[in-house]
Amino acid sequence: MSRQERRVLAYAGLLAAVAATYTVAFKHGMAFFEGREVTYVESLQFVGQTFTTTGYGEYAPWESNVMLLTVVVMQLSGVFLIFLTLPLFVVPWIEDRLEVEPPRSVDLDDHVVICGFGARDKTLAAELDAQGVEYVVLTDDRETALSLHENGWRAVHGDPETASGLERVDVGDARTVVLDESDERNATIALTVTDIAPDVQTVCFVEDPSLAEYLEYAGADRVLGPRSLLGRSLARNVTNAVTSRLGEAVEIGDDFEIVEMPIQYGSDLDGATLGETALLEPGGVNAVGAWFAGEYVGSPSPDRELTRNTVLLVAGRERDLEAFEERTLAAHDAADRGHVVVAGYGEVGSTVRAALDEAGIETTVVDVEDRPGVDVVGDAMEGSTLRDADIGDASALVLALGDDTSTVFATLVAREASERVEILCRANDVESARKLYAAGADYVLSLATVAGRMLAQTILAEDVMALDKQIDVVRTEAPALVGQTLAGADVRARTGCTVVAVQRDDEVISRPDADFRVREGDALVVVGADADVARFNEVAGVHAGPP
């Protein structure tokens, strides 16, 4: 019996007891104090009239004080009992009738089932939307399911650990089941999926890397640990800044690449406008887009100023990219490049330290716990701790803290301590990136972004080419554009995406010009944000298919 049902029974019992007591009291009170005989039915009628405040002139007036007081008590308690039903029962009942219920089932095929819901699932959903892949969220939290449903998500209320819950989302017809609950619940869900849909791919995240093998034993086909990838990505950006080495690129052809290039403080491009860089001119290196304080702009204006929190997304041949990168780096000698401070020595921080050690870069590790590998014990949010780590002489600071609020505050403290140090941050949520850039960070990589892209690559196979980049680099055919030139299709203006290359048979045509005509079978390499790629798919007539 639910709490509401117990409350109703208790209230009904109280009301009946009070009404019976008042009925007997009124009958005998009228006979004893007023000298008038009434029946029990007449007495009950009086009690009903009292409780409902409808009036009862046939019994008034009363001559004795006892009956007057009795009637007053009955009136006050009756009104209290009747009006008590409004907030306790009537209002909740009306709200329940008006409230929208989350769906209990769906009818889908070749879709993705997401068990649980978090920030990384939002990134995954954006990726799936961009590729036109249907998905449904299954959660046993009714409020979460209802909130998602009201916000336009396809969500079902059900227990993902049970066969009945999974059957509500057509798990047998799904292409992939994503497990995003706790490690323990993920294991139980994996066992259930294996039992009722053994041919469906199961992918799950693991919070504790030591438990990965147990999740595989439970039936998970892929177990992902995004924190280690995030650490390696941050380390690569540090290595690029310290060694002036071109960052890891997305290779489009034999000699054509797309790469991110952060603008360093004090570099030739720091303070310049995009129009002054020649990036918008044909040939050489071209700007595909840029992040300004964490916000991606697919077609930036030539008047847009480049600052230290700008990250360019450029395309070109490797030799041209290497030459252009010199303009994004601060002008200092190799001897001036100091050590790298790594704040936070969890999974992300330890991965950064290992990658930098492998690259031969000196590191100083800061953590609140005194354990092997930690050089300075202290809180990275305190200036004294950062000074103990020689932040003033460091070339870069990697903030690998587990809490975004702490990371924002540590960024403020670090930027106050050193104007020239490169600050690279790990963020748990995508929404924290803007705050970190505003606090003085030079580069921010979100754990949710990395995790979502890891899932997208696993689910979509070769469709998504960039794993830990902050944009989509997609290779796809475009049936609706066949026979049109790129100028005629006007892809950039209509979708915000940029066509950077075309694969025709075994040949990759880099930097196609405006007169390039799309043929049947051509695969366009398109770069853009998730929403932009989704619009491109609509314009180009792209339909999702099996992986």
Side-chain angles (χ1 to χ4, degrees):
M1 185 180 295
S2 67
R3 180 182 179 185
Q4 183 72 2
E5 290 172 339
R6 291 195 299 270
R7 184 185 294 174
V8 170
L9 287 177
Y11 173 79
L14 175 63
L15 185 62
V18 172
T21 301
Y22 285 173
T23 298
V24 173
F26 183 77
K27 176 182 178 358
H28 293 288
M30 288 293 289
F32 187 81
F33 295 106
E34 299 293 328
R36 285 187 284 172
E37 292 289 340
V38 295
T39 67
Y40 281 111
V41 174
E42 290 173 331
S43 181
L44 180 61
Q45 179 194 26
F46 171 80
V47 172
Q49 290 172 334
T50 302
F51 280 12
T52 57
T53 67
T54 56
Y56 31 71
E58 67 269 26
Y59 297 110
W62 292 275
E63 297 178 0
S64 65
N65 291 333
V66 174
M67 281 305 298
L68 287 172
L69 291 174
T70 300
V71 171
V72 169
V73 170
M74 293 172 68
Q75 288 173 334
L76 294 177
S77 59
V79 169
F80 173 77
L81 285 172
I82 293 301
F83 284 96
L84 186 65
T85 63
L86 292 177
L88 289 183
F89 306 107
V90 177
V91 173
W93 183 85
I94 294 175
E95 289 178 345
D96 288 342
R97 300 289 75 78
L98 296 178
E99 189 174 44
V100 178
E101 285 292 324
R104 303 285 292 179
S105 63
V106 292
D107 184 13
L108 296 173
D109 181 59
D110 195 35
H111 56 294
V112 175
V113 177
I114 305 173
C115 298
F117 189 77
R120 52 196 173 197
D121 298 310
K122 295 180 181 179
T123 302
L124 171 63
E127 296 284 345
L128 296 177
D129 283 335
Q131 297 299 315
V133 177
E134 292 187 303
Y135 57 88
V136 58
V137 177
L138 177 63
T139 174
D140 58 0
D141 188 321
R142 181 183 176 280
E143 295 303 320
T144 298
L146 182 60
S147 175
L148 290 172
H149 176 66
E150 291 177 340
N151 287 320
W153 292 71
R154 185 181 282 115
V156 169
H157 179 217
D159 188 353
E161 294 186 77
T162 64
S164 60
L166 291 169
E167 287 168 353
R168 291 180 181 179
V169 292
D170 291 335
V171 69
D173 296 324
R175 66 159 66 181
T176 301
V177 177
V178 175
L179 312 182
D180 196 12
E181 298 278 4
S182 65
D183 291 341
E184 294 76 12
R185 291 201 73 190
N186 283 344
T188 303
I189 299 171
L191 288 168
T192 308
V193 173
T194 302
D195 181 47
I196 64 176
D199 296 330
V200 176
Q201 177 182 230
T202 304
V203 182
C204 75
F205 288 109
V206 61
E207 297 300 323
D208 184 351
S210 66
L211 301 179
E213 60 179 317
Y214 302 111
L215 290 168
E216 292 174 349
Y217 293 156
D221 298 299
R222 292 287 303 277
V223 179
L224 306 179
R227 288 182 177 83
S228 60
L229 176 61
L230 179 69
R232 291 193 297 271
S233 300
L234 288 172
R236 276 197 299 271
N237 281 278
V238 173
T239 302
N240 302 337
V242 173
T243 64
S244 300
R245 185 186 306 163
L246 187 64
E248 183 172 300
V250 178
E251 295 184 359
I252 305 301
D254 293 336
D255 191 25
F256 189 74
E257 301 174 341
I258 300 175
V259 66
E260 296 174 358
M261 287 190 183
I263 303 298
Q264 290 191 0
Y265 176 72
S267 66
D268 291 344
L269 297 185
D270 184 17
T273 64
L274 190 61
E276 295 170 345
T277 65
L279 285 173
L280 301 180
E281 299 175 4
V285 176
N286 298 121
V288 176
W291 289 268
F292 298 94
E295 180 181 357
Y296 180 74
V297 179
S299 301
S301 167
D303 298 328
R304 198 70 183 259
E305 183 180 2
L306 307 179
T307 62
R308 68 182 306 161
N309 60 15
T310 301
V311 180
L312 295 173
L313 183 67
V314 294
R317 303 187 185 279
E318 184 174 1
R319 61 179 180 275
D320 295 330
L321 292 171
E322 290 176 345
F324 179 79
E325 188 188 31
E326 294 296 325
R327 301 174 62 190
T328 69
L329 302 176
H332 48 62
D333 297 330
D336 295 332
R337 297 190 178 102
H339 61 292
V340 174
V341 178
V342 180
Y345 203 50
E347 186 178 352
V348 175
S350 59
T351 301
V352 172
R353 169 74 175 273
L356 294 179
D357 286 346
E358 186 176 342
I361 298 174
E362 181 185 355
T363 58
T364 300
V365 175
V366 176
D367 197 86
V368 292
E369 295 183 16
D370 187 5
R371 50 181 168 171
V374 175
D375 302 303
V376 176
V377 179
D379 192 340
M381 293 187 290
E382 298 178 359
S384 58
T385 300
L386 295 179
R387 286 191 292 272
D388 290 342
D390 294 328
I391 188 69
D393 295 327
S395 58
L397 166 66
V398 179
L399 291 174
L401 308 177
D403 176 69
D404 286 354
T405 301
S406 300
T407 304
V408 170
F409 195 83
T411 301
L412 291 169
V413 174
R415 182 54 69 211
E416 177 66 22
S418 175
E419 182 66 22
R420 80 175 185 90
V421 68
E422 292 282 318
I423 302 178
L424 300 92
C425 300
R426 160 254 180 101
N428 290 323
D429 297 326
V430 177
E431 291 78 7
S432 299
R434 184 183 298 273
K435 299 175 185 177
L436 288 165
Y437 279 116
D442 297 288
Y443 187 82
V444 180
L445 191 55
S446 164
L447 182 62
T449 297
V450 172
R453 294 199 183 283
M454 288 182 75
L455 276 173
Q457 189 190 57
T458 301
I459 296 170
L460 302 173
E462 294 298 324
D463 292 338
V464 177
M465 299 165 60
L467 181 57
D468 60 341
K469 303 300 178 186
Q470 302 181 71
I471 40 79
D472 279 333
V473 183
V474 179
R475 182 189 287 112
T476 180
E477 295 186 8
L481 303 184
V482 171
Q484 300 184 48
T485 64
L486 293 181
D490 202 11
V491 171
R492 193 167 210 175
R494 295 170 66 189
T495 70
C497 290
T498 302
V499 179
V500 297
V502 177
Q503 182 174 344
R504 175 171 291 171
D505 299 325
D506 295 330
E507 178 187 5
V508 175
I509 304 170
S510 60
R511 291 179 296 189
D513 58 29
D515 296 327
F516 182 89
R517 191 174 299 276
V518 180
R519 296 180 185 171
E520 186 174 355
D522 285 351
L524 277 59
V525 180
V526 178
V527 179
D530 295 325
D532 296 336
V533 173
R535 283 193 294 270
F536 173 82
N537 286 339
E538 294 179 5
V539 169
V542 178
H543 302 287

